[in-house]
Amino acid sequence: MSDTMQSLDQLASLKPAAPEAPKYVKKVDKLGRAYATGKRKDAVARVWIKPGAGKIFVNTREVEVYFARPVLRMMIQQPLVAAARAGQYDVICTVAGGGLSGQAGAVRHGISKALTYFEPDLRGILKKGGFLTRDSRTVERKKYGRAKARKSFQFSKR
């Protein structure tokens, strides 16, 4: 009977320790670059980032040439601006599949993931901005007996 608790303080000492949050480590290759894959719709982007002057190359072309629309260029810059790292990293990416909008979204997703691999402390900022979440919306498949995914053929009684 000597094992019984005498006060609430002793009860608190029995509580197991809270599990620690997972620690993220820096993932860099031997050339000092962080690599990540970004996806959006049917587009897949392979992205490498390294410290530099802030140049962005997409499929061996400058970003201004490849993505002519300012909205798409702004979309690609969003993770760097949110993390206050604009102009500090060189980005080289190859992107394939889909259209320009999907490709820009894939590059943005890849840059965000690569930033978290290079600087794990930025994960909270990028996650709060929604840049690390893969946008899973894709085109709905066409069903048999239908003109398109949901559109029916014209119906006529006579």
Side-chain angles (χ1 to χ4, degrees), residues 2 12 17 20 22 25 50 57-58 62 66 85 89 94-95 102 106 112 115 123 136 141 145 153 155:
S2 62
E20 291 186 28
V25 293
K50 62 181 179 181
F57 288 98
V58 181
E62 290 189 17
Y66 195 85
R85 299 292 189 272
Y89 288 104
T94 58
V95 63
S112 305
L115 271 175
R123 184 173 174 82
S136 60
R141 76 171 192 89
F153 294 113
F155 177 78

Side-chain angles (χ1 to χ4, degrees), residues 19-128:
E20 291 186 28
K23 298 261 194 270
Y24 295 100
V25 293
K26 188 174 177 178
K27 291 184 191 174
V28 183
D29 65 3
K30 61 186 171 207
L31 298 175
R33 305 174 302 183
Y35 168 78
T37 306
K39 295 181 181 181
R40 168 83 171 97
K41 292 187 177 179
D42 279 339
V44 179
R46 299 184 301 164
V47 179
W48 291 267
I49 65 164
K50 62 181 179 181
K55 296 178 182 155
I56 300 176
F57 288 98
V58 181
N59 291 352
T60 67
R61 287 185 262 173
E62 290 189 17
V63 72
E64 290 81 16
V65 176
Y66 195 85
F67 293 113
R69 281 187 270 166
V71 174
L72 299 179
R73 288 199 301 267
M74 182 264 307
M75 202 169 134
I76 289 170
Q77 291 284 342
Q78 280 178 336
L80 295 167
V81 172
R85 299 292 189 272
Q88 296 182 19
Y89 288 104
D90 286 342
V91 178
I92 299 155
C93 61
T94 58
V95 63
L100 283 178
S101 174
Q103 287 184 350
V107 171
R108 179 177 87 163
H109 186 226
I111 289 172
S112 305
K113 284 173 63 176
L115 271 175
T116 59
Y117 294 151
F118 205 90
E119 291 186 58
D121 298 337
L122 296 177
R123 184 173 174 82
I125 298 165
L126 295 172
K127 187 124 175 105
K128 193 174 286 186

